[in-house]
Amino acid sequence: MTPRDTPATVWIRGASLAALAAAARLGKAGHHVVLDCDGLPDGGHWAVRQHLGVEVDELPQTFLLPAVWRDLFKKSGRALDAELARHHLDLVPAPDQVHRFADGRTFCLPSERGAQFHAVDEAFGRRAAEAWCTLLDDLDDLWQRMRPVGLERPVGHDTFDRRTRAGLWSTLCLEDLAARAGDPHLACIVRSQASLSGGVIAGRTPALVAVRLAVHRRFGSWQLVDEASRPVRASLLVEMLGERIDLRGVERVGAPVALLGTGTPDLSRMQGPNPASAEVVLDTTAVQPVGFGGRKLVRPAYAPRITHEVIADDPEVIDPSIGIVEVQDHTAGTPVVSWHRPLPDGRTVVTTHDHTRPRPDLVWGLAPTSWKAWEHRPRLGGEGRWVASAGSHGGNEPWGELLSAALAVYEIHEYLTDEDIRPTNKQQPRLPRQARPASGV
């Protein structure tokens, strides 16, 4: 694309984390960004709302892979630590996860490698600890092989060759990993990754979704706290991101509106010009890929039933000073995950993701019901039209959405300017556009 005297227009559809992250990055890179919110508030289904006079949101209240958030804020303006300090906030380690099982057993799982080994050893014995450590080491290696596949580089037509499929354990499912966990309780934790990733049945869900366990051990679990070290809701980061896109001069259309009492967006105020005049369109709304004859290749993700409760004398919060307690209850065989956030008045707000009664919902991405379903997720795109969402290969975790957005931004910026702003760029000579490999559509 030839150099321009005026900034190119990038039209972003959606109000999701991916949309906000892409808008902030592209605005900082000097592009004219139009964010079509589709009538939704910042963060979409993860925006803040009121419940019994308390501000709540549907986000997981603890964070994995905080480096993705740090990179986003650094590449869109002020560094995350400085921005948190401006809001009198901090990002600190979260307490150990609490796991409960059908036999009444309770197990606390730390994130740090050595502490995790000793916790498993004490709870289930040395052989289980060694088996679990070996499994997590293998998952750590798998994470390294996954990073170039849709997380740090686009998925192309030739990405999934025989060697890559073998490296990503394409023939294994979660049930195969559960058999290696070392103890039936630990096997429950492995199987639960099916539901946590938007799937249902461990015997069909590809083994690679279990890398979330390795991400937890490698990077830890984190929480937001205020200046008094009291935990606060996760969506404050979303609101900070909304402020960032305003600072970057992003133009909003389809103005965000308040949610109705049912939690449903009021679409009657949707508005906005036609994006046909934009040089680039980035769609951050999840779509189902279709094959020949219009057959849907991938199902919508199975979303949990989400509830909020404000209670007094919460037995899960023994010491409010430790922060947000994450409890994963495996009693029903399918996880019920709850985050217990102490409030300044001594009460606790409990946000629960109940995976025992899931519903298909594209907002939560696409279901990894098989290896093929994961492989057939939408590719990044190219030549003026890109996609990045919870349905991308990064998955439906917040960090997955942010990574998919960053990848789209790198491709879009290079398409518009011929400049490579990827972190891995070593300032190598650039090939002419027609000689570069296509990223796939």
Side-chain angles (χ1 to χ4, degrees):
M1 184 163 285
T2 58
R4 300 173 52 90
D5 296 328
T6 58
T9 296
V10 180
W11 186 284
I12 300 178
R13 183 183 174 214
S16 64
L17 279 182
L20 300 180
R25 287 176 179 267
L26 287 166
K28 179 64 167 63
H31 302 288
H32 173 221
V33 180
V34 179
L35 181 65
D36 184 353
C37 302
D38 281 347
L40 294 171
D42 286 352
H45 72 118
W46 279 336
V48 66
R49 64 194 66 197
Q50 290 284 330
H51 177 77
L52 298 178
V54 177
E55 291 184 332
V56 298
D57 61 72
E58 297 185 353
L59 274 164
Q61 295 300 295
T62 52
F63 296 88
L64 298 180
L65 210 57
V68 177
W69 289 92
R70 296 185 186 282
D71 182 69
L72 167 60
F73 276 85
K74 179 181 178 181
K75 300 297 174 55
S76 62
R78 191 195 302 263
L80 178 60
D81 288 345
E83 191 69 7
L84 288 171
R86 188 171 74 88
H87 287 80
H88 307 289
L89 299 172
D90 199 4
L91 194 60
V92 300
D96 298 347
Q97 290 178 349
V98 178
H99 293 264
R100 290 208 165 84
F101 304 96
D103 62 0
R105 192 83 174 263
T106 297
F107 168 60
C108 293
L109 180 66
S111 58
E112 194 273 325
R113 179 190 179 93
Q116 192 172 107
F117 179 89
H118 289 300
V120 176
D121 182 13
E122 182 178 349
F124 308 115
R126 179 55 58 93
R127 292 183 62 182
E130 291 172 349
W132 180 256
C133 186
T134 299
L135 175 59
L136 268 289
D137 288 345
D138 290 343
L139 286 170
D140 202 32
D141 292 340
L142 176 61
W143 164 251
Q144 299 301 327
R145 293 191 292 271
M146 284 185 65
R147 289 173 57 185
V149 184
L151 296 177
E152 295 177 356
R153 290 199 293 270
V155 169
H157 293 292
D158 58 350
T159 295
F160 295 109
D161 55 21
R162 182 178 299 178
R163 180 177 180 180
T164 301
R165 286 189 175 93
L168 297 181
W169 300 356
S170 62
T171 60
L172 299 179
C173 64
L174 281 179
E175 196 60 49
D176 297 319
L177 301 190
R180 297 176 47 193
D183 183 89
H185 301 86
L186 301 174
C188 283
I189 296 177
V190 173
R191 293 189 188 99
S192 71
Q193 305 308 304
S195 296
L196 298 179
S197 62
V200 178
I201 303 173
R204 296 180 182 175
T205 302
L208 56 78
V209 304
V211 295
R212 187 177 183 276
L213 296 169
V215 169
H216 174 252
R217 189 182 72 170
R218 174 181 276 261
F219 302 105
S221 181
W222 299 76
Q223 62 182 341
L224 275 179
V225 297
D226 63 16
E227 57 188 344
S229 298
R230 295 177 301 220
V232 295
R233 55 183 169 83
S235 55
L236 283 172
L237 274 184
V238 179
E239 293 173 10
M240 290 165 54
L241 190 52
E243 294 175 1
R244 178 61 53 87
I245 67 173
D246 291 336
L247 183 65
R248 298 274 73 88
V250 172
E251 179 183 351
R252 296 173 184 260
V253 297
V257 297
L259 295 177
L260 301 176
T262 59
T264 303
D266 181 0
L267 301 182
S268 62
R269 292 172 53 190
M270 284 178 60
Q271 56 182 328
N274 193 313
S277 60
E279 285 86 346
V280 165
V281 174
L282 172 61
D283 193 345
T284 68
T285 60
V287 295
Q288 291 177 265
V290 296
F292 292 107
R295 182 177 65 88
K296 299 291 177 61
L297 298 176
V298 189
R299 298 177 183 176
Y302 292 92
R305 178 177 179 269
I306 299 178
T307 59
H308 304 284
E309 187 179 9
V310 180
I311 61 177
D313 301 321
D314 185 357
E316 302 293 349
V317 182
I318 300 174
D319 180 2
S321 66
I322 68 172
I324 301 172
V325 178
E326 178 182 345
V327 179
Q328 297 192 17
D329 193 326
H330 307 273
T331 302
T334 303
V336 177
V337 186
S338 58
W339 291 269
H340 300 248
R341 174 165 60 91
L343 298 173
D345 63 6
R347 297 180 300 165
T348 301
V349 58
V350 182
T351 298
T352 300
H353 289 198
D354 185 350
H355 294 272
T356 65
R357 291 184 286 173
R359 68 188 192 285
D361 188 348
L362 269 177
V363 169
W364 287 77
L366 298 170
T369 51
S370 67
W371 163 264
K372 280 294 184 184
W374 184 83
E375 181 181 349
H376 283 149
R377 287 183 172 184
R379 293 172 183 171
L380 186 60
E383 299 305 316
R385 300 193 68 86
W386 280 267
V387 296
S389 71
S392 299
H393 284 88
N396 62 1
E397 292 264 5
W399 55 263
E401 280 200 56
L402 297 183
L403 284 173
S404 71
L407 196 58
V409 167
Y410 302 148
E411 295 291 311
I412 290 170
H413 184 78
E414 184 178 10
Y415 172 78
L416 293 172
T417 67
D418 254 359
E419 179 187 8
D420 185 357
I421 59 172
R422 297 172 182 83
T424 55
N425 179 26
K426 303 300 182 183
Q427 303 300 324
Q428 297 177 352
R430 306 300 300 151
L431 293 173
R433 182 166 303 282
Q434 60 269 24
R436 297 177 198 164
S439 59
V441 179

